[in-house]
């Protein structure tokens, strides 16, 4: 819903509201361990052996992955947001008073299952475990309804509701023709209500065949009888102050200082905190930022340069895959360059950001934050053609330099550049075709690594998340 009204004395009211019904699910494998078949088998029993589901033996020296399968149901992610504004423009001053309201449900069930699977990039096969008495400890590769191995949280359900109210004000002042000041302030008050539950082990006939199989003898179930109540409030004040100086019609200087925060929401759960007392938990992450820059326009393009410095806190957030609580402060500074230029039918766009980031607390103080490259960049040249320049072909370069896998800074993920392409062709006046190719050269770009180090002169296995491989999309658009 969107509505706007003009009141007396040139006051204006504008309201934007939205209500969304959201639910869904996702299933995704997470490799919790990689090892030889003999080592994985021994972890179940000294005399255990591994077999593929067709009954053939698994070579003792081949690699096997222990898979924890994310099976997540998003039960209720409904939300309501509304932004109400009252504004008026005076001769050199614009005033806006507003009230923001948001209600977000977060109800989801995390149901983990455990499998064994060969390490193979082409139709990897599932693997069963057979003990010394020839008893099958698994069923079609599934050896547990839950995650008995490792430290990943087993089964959990979260049902908190986040209710946010935030009055705010914005003031813009034009001083002469060249100087503009804008200032804004906002006060957020949040209320969190609900509960969450961990896991309890039980026997359960999952497939309803009347038999309690080996995996069904210890099934991880949601422990609703011992759920944890959540009922706390938080509040914070945020502000922004910006200055802009217009040198001439094509050049300007600007600077801004700001401070804000965000609530950790469901990421603060399962951290063994007092969820009845908002003062006793770190429910917020804060950021302070200072930036300054220069804008320059040309006949056929523009260039923007911004330097920045930021301080960020990330304290008390729970990470499910490592079953750990992240408590880091960060500081960073850098420069961002962005621009575009058109030469006849050729359009050039690009951006590059240099960031020098540093952990500012804890055991890893002074190190670079994990997964943070020094340089990220993109460059997009394109060519428009046709009578009305309705056709276009282009290529997109997206890349980054190397980054550390974890905060310990012992293992490096290499840099990469991914190349994408696109073409838009007008077949007729009403019919258009477009084709896009993602990752044309099937570049391997590693964005995350679970391990933080490797041991020299030993065999090491690293679990990594790469960029998606090459894919192509063809679309047709008809206007009538």
């Amino acid at each position: 819903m969107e509505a706007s009204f003009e009141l007396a004395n040139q006051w204006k009211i504008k309201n934007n509201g939205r209500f969304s019904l959201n639910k869904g699910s996702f299933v995704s494998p997470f490799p919790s361990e990689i090892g030889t078949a003999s080592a994985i088998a021994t972890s179940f029993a000294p005399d255990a052996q591994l077999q593929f589901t067709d009954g053939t033996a698994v070579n003792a020296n081949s690699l096997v992955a222990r898979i924890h399968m994310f099976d997540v149901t998003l039960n209720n992610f409904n939300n309501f947001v509304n932004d109400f504004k009252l504004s008026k423009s005076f001769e050199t001053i614009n005033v806006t008073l507003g009230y923001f309201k948001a209600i977000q449900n977060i109800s989801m069930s995390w149901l983990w299952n455990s499998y064994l699977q060969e390490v193979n990039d082409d139709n990897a096969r599932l693997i069963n475990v057979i003990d010394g008495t020839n008893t099958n400890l698994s069923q079609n590769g599934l050896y547990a309804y839950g995650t008995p191995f490792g430290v990943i949280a087993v089964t959990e359900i979260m049902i908190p509701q986040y209710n946010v109210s935030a009055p705010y004000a914005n003031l813009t002042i034009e001083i002469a023709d060249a100087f503009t000041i804008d200032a804004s302030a906002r006060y957020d008050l949040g209320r969190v209500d609900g509960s969450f539950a961990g896991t309890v082990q039980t026997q359960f006939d999952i497939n309803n065949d009347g038999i309690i199989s080996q995996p069904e003898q210890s099934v991880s179930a949601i422990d609703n009888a011992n759920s944890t109540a959540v009922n706390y409030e938080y509040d914070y004040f945020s502000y922004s102050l910006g200055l802009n100086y217009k040198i001439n019609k094509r050049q300007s200087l600007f600077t801004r200082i700001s401070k804000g925060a965000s609530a950790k929401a469901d990421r603060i759960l399962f951290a063994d905190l007092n969820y009845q007392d908002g003062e006793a938990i770190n429910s917020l992450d804060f950021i302070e930022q200072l930036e300054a820059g220069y804008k320059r326009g040309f006949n056929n393009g523009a260039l923007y340069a911004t330097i920045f410095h930021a301080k960020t806190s990330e304290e008390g957030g729970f990470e499910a895959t490592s079953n750990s609580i992240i408590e880091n402060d960060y500081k960073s500074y850098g420069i961002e360059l962005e621009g575009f230029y058109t030469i006849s039918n050729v359009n050039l766009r690009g951006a590059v950001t240099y960031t020098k980031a540093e952990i500012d607390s804890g055991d890893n103080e002074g190190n670079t934050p994990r997964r943070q490259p020094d340089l990220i960049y993109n460059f997009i040249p394109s060519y428009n053609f046709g009578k009305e320049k309705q056709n276009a072909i282009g290529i997109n370069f997206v890349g980054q330099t190397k980054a550390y896998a974890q905060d310990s800074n012992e293992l490096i993920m290499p840099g990469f550049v991914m190349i994408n392409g696109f073409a838009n062709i007008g077949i007729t006046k009403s019919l258009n075709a477009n084709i896009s190719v993602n990752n044309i050269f099937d570049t391997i770009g590693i964005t995350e690594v679970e391990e933080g180090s490797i041991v020299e002169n030993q065999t090491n296995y690293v679990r990594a998340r790469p960029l998606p491989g090459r894919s192509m999309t063809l679309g047709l658009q008809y206007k009538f």
Side-chain angles (χ1 to χ4, degrees), residues 295-337:
K295 298 179 180 180
R296 174 65 190 264
F298 304 96
N299 288 335
N300 298 314
L303 177 66
Y304 312 110
T306 305
I307 58 174
F308 60 86
H309 173 65
K311 290 185 177 181
T312 310
S313 68
E314 184 184 26
E315 298 184 5
F318 180 76
E319 186 177 64
T321 53
S322 62
N323 201 30
S324 61
I325 298 173
I326 300 175
E327 295 191 69
N328 281 334
D329 293 331
Y330 306 93
K331 61 182 180 181
S332 63
Y333 60 86
I335 183 170
E336 181 180 61
L337 299 175

Side-chain angles (χ1 to χ4, degrees), residues 21 68-69 88 168 179 191 239 261 280 296 308 334 342 378 416 430 453 467:
L21 297 172
H68 287 166
M69 185 70 75
K88 182 175 181 177
Y168 63 89
F179 199 53
R191 186 174 73 248
Y239 64 84
R296 174 65 190 264
F308 60 86
T342 300
N378 67 78
F416 60 85
S430 300
S453 63
L467 294 169

Side-chain angles (χ1 to χ4, degrees), residues 19-89:
F19 175 67
S20 299
L21 297 172
N22 302 299
K23 65 179 181 179
S25 63
F26 67 89
V27 178
S28 179
F30 177 81
S32 60
E33 183 189 24
I34 305 295
T36 62
S38 60
I40 295 292
T42 303
S43 70
F44 286 88
D47 53 358
Q49 296 181 345
L50 301 185
Q51 294 180 359
F52 292 109
T53 54
D54 63 2
T56 60
V58 179
N59 187 295
N61 295 320
S62 62
L63 288 182
V64 173
R66 192 189 301 263
I67 300 295
H68 287 166
M69 185 70 75
F70 283 84
D71 185 359
V72 180
T73 302
L74 309 178
N75 305 307
N76 184 340
F77 269 61
N78 299 347
N79 65 70
F80 168 77
V81 292
N82 192 80
D83 187 20
F84 174 84
K85 295 179 181 180
L86 176 65
S87 62
K88 182 175 181 177
S89 296

Side-chain angles (χ1 to χ4, degrees), residues 406-418:
Q406 296 294 335
D407 291 341
S408 58
N409 288 186
E410 297 176 291
L411 185 62
I412 291 176
M413 301 184 297
F416 60 85
V417 57
M418 185 172 66

